[in-house]
Structures are given as C-alpha cells and as structure tokens.
Amino acid sequence: MLKRSVLAALITAACCNTAQAEIELNGFASIKAGMTMGSDESLYGYDDKLDFKNESLAALQIKSDLGDKLSVTAQLLGRGSEDWDLEFEWAFLSYDLTDELRINAGRLRTPFYKYSDFRDVGYAYDWSRVP
C-alpha cells in the first residue's frame, strides 16, 4: 500500500506543472562476481560456480522540483540476489524553509542520503567489499 502511495505521489509530482518541472535522473550500478576455488566451500553466498547476481545491484534516483522550495526525491534499487526486483529504497518530499534549513518527510534511510555512496555504490573506497 505504501509503495503504491509513494509511486502515485511521484507520478503526480512529475506530471504537475510539466512546463516548469525540472526532473533529474541519476543512477549507479555495482556489478560484482565471485566464486570459491573448492567445490565444498561457500563464502559470502558464493560457491564453486561464477556468480554475478549475488552482490550486484543497480539503482535509479529521481528528483523533481515541484515549485518554489518544494521537491520530491526517490531511489529505486534492484539487487541481483533478489532477481532485480525494483523497490523504493527511499522516497521523500523536501521543503526549504531557508537557504540553510530543509524539512524532509517520507521514507528516509539512516544515516541519510549520502551514505549510499558508501553502502550501495562503494564510491569512497577502492575494494569491492569492506574488510
């Protein structure tokens, strides 16, 4: 039910004021493969067959300005281990009270927003799995 409500809100937001709507699309993907060297071994969900789905993921982030000081942001994420079923990882409305203060309402992930750079994308570190 919540997913349908959020999806309806996003579609409505994208359709309202289309002449003035500014929509930003961003995305990322992490394609990882692994296998063990022994037929009886298993590690992190991998076995002796090469597997690309176990830790791979792809996401699309959508942001739209709805008017003066109001915007909507959502991220759809699909994981290979879950047969690439897309789910809303988070979606929220933002209202800028001032240039320095913003209020967000909706589904947020803690510790908030930029944490995706570390958790999902691995952008800030050189290895494919945090040691």
Side-chain angles (χ1 to χ4, degrees):
M1 181 70 175
L2 178 63
K3 288 182 188 179
R4 289 183 184 165
S5 299
V6 172
L7 182 59
L10 287 173
I11 291 171
T12 302
C15 294
C16 294
N17 280 333
T18 55
Q20 297 178 5
E22 184 177 314
I23 298 174
E24 294 177 33
L25 294 174
N26 295 298
F28 63 87
S30 293
I31 308 300
K32 299 180 182 180
M35 65 183 284
T36 61
M37 299 305 233
S39 61
D40 295 337
E41 296 175 4
S42 177
L43 182 65
Y44 300 122
Y46 293 106
D47 56 20
D48 63 335
K49 294 178 181 71
L50 185 63
D51 182 12
F52 283 89
K53 290 177 66 175
N54 189 29
E55 293 183 286
S56 296
L57 55 87
L60 178 66
Q61 179 180 320
I62 305 158
K63 181 179 181 186
S64 178
D65 290 328
L66 302 178
D68 192 34
K69 301 182 180 186
L70 186 65
S71 66
V72 63
T73 307
Q75 179 174 295
L76 295 163
L77 183 94
R79 298 181 189 280
S81 61
E82 298 169 4
D83 291 325
W84 303 104
D85 290 333
L86 287 176
E87 293 186 10
F88 279 100
E89 192 73 4
W90 41 263
F92 58 87
L93 288 169
S94 298
Y95 184 77
D96 295 328
L97 292 172
T98 68
D99 288 341
E100 295 83 27
L101 185 60
R102 173 179 291 162
I103 295 175
N104 293 329
R107 182 176 182 185
L108 301 169
R109 177 171 64 183
T110 53
F112 307 119
Y113 200 52
K114 292 290 185 184
Y115 184 59
S116 296
D117 289 352
F118 297 89
R119 183 171 181 222
D120 294 329
V121 184
Y123 178 77
Y125 47 79
D126 297 330
W127 48 81
S128 63
R129 173 188 292 280
V130 178

